[in-house]
Amino acid sequence: MREKFQETNTMQDDPGKQLEFPLDCQFRIMAMANAENIPQDLQKVIDQHDLKSTPKKGNSTKKGTYQSWIVSGTIYSLESLRAVGADFSAIDGVKMVL
């Protein structure tokens, strides 16, 4: 049992070994609902990484505090995947990127 856990843990240490690129990817971004900059800032990241996409508004929370956004695109490397996620996370008002 212990050996199996270690094998799985080793695979998790390098997710690039489990992913095949190019990869069609969908990002879900949770942001403050009152942040007016979100669509424009998401589009800047999309354009910067040449994802050829438009952010689509998803669901909002019951109290209306958070708004989800969906961005799809093709990613060509693990480094690019990490960079896109980091750039979305750095947007003012973004709370989580999945």
Side-chain angles (χ1 to χ4, degrees), residues 28-29 36 43 51 75 77 90 93:
R28 289 208 175 246
I29 297 116
E36 296 177 13
Q43 191 62 54
L51 295 178
I75 303 293
S77 69

Side-chain angles (χ1 to χ4, degrees), residues 3-68:
E3 290 175 28
K4 192 171 190 172
F5 174 77
Q6 288 176 339
E7 181 178 304
T8 303
N9 192 26
T10 302
M11 289 176 64
Q12 290 175 353
D13 289 342
D14 189 359
K17 289 184 179 178
Q18 298 175 23
L19 301 174
E20 292 185 26
F21 295 94
L23 174 70
D24 289 331
C25 193
Q26 184 179 72
F27 295 90
R28 289 208 175 246
I29 297 116
M30 291 299 296
M32 300 299 298
N34 62 357
E36 296 177 13
N37 61 303
I38 297 297
Q40 297 85 1
D41 289 349
L42 290 174
Q43 191 62 54
K44 286 178 189 175
V45 173
I46 290 166
D47 294 343
Q48 176 185 348
H49 292 280
D50 198 29
L51 295 178
K52 296 178 177 67
S53 182
T54 303
K56 294 177 180 65
K57 200 179 251 192
N59 297 325
S60 61
T61 57
K62 189 174 184 177
K63 292 183 181 181
T65 306
Y66 298 101
Q67 175 67 53
S68 70

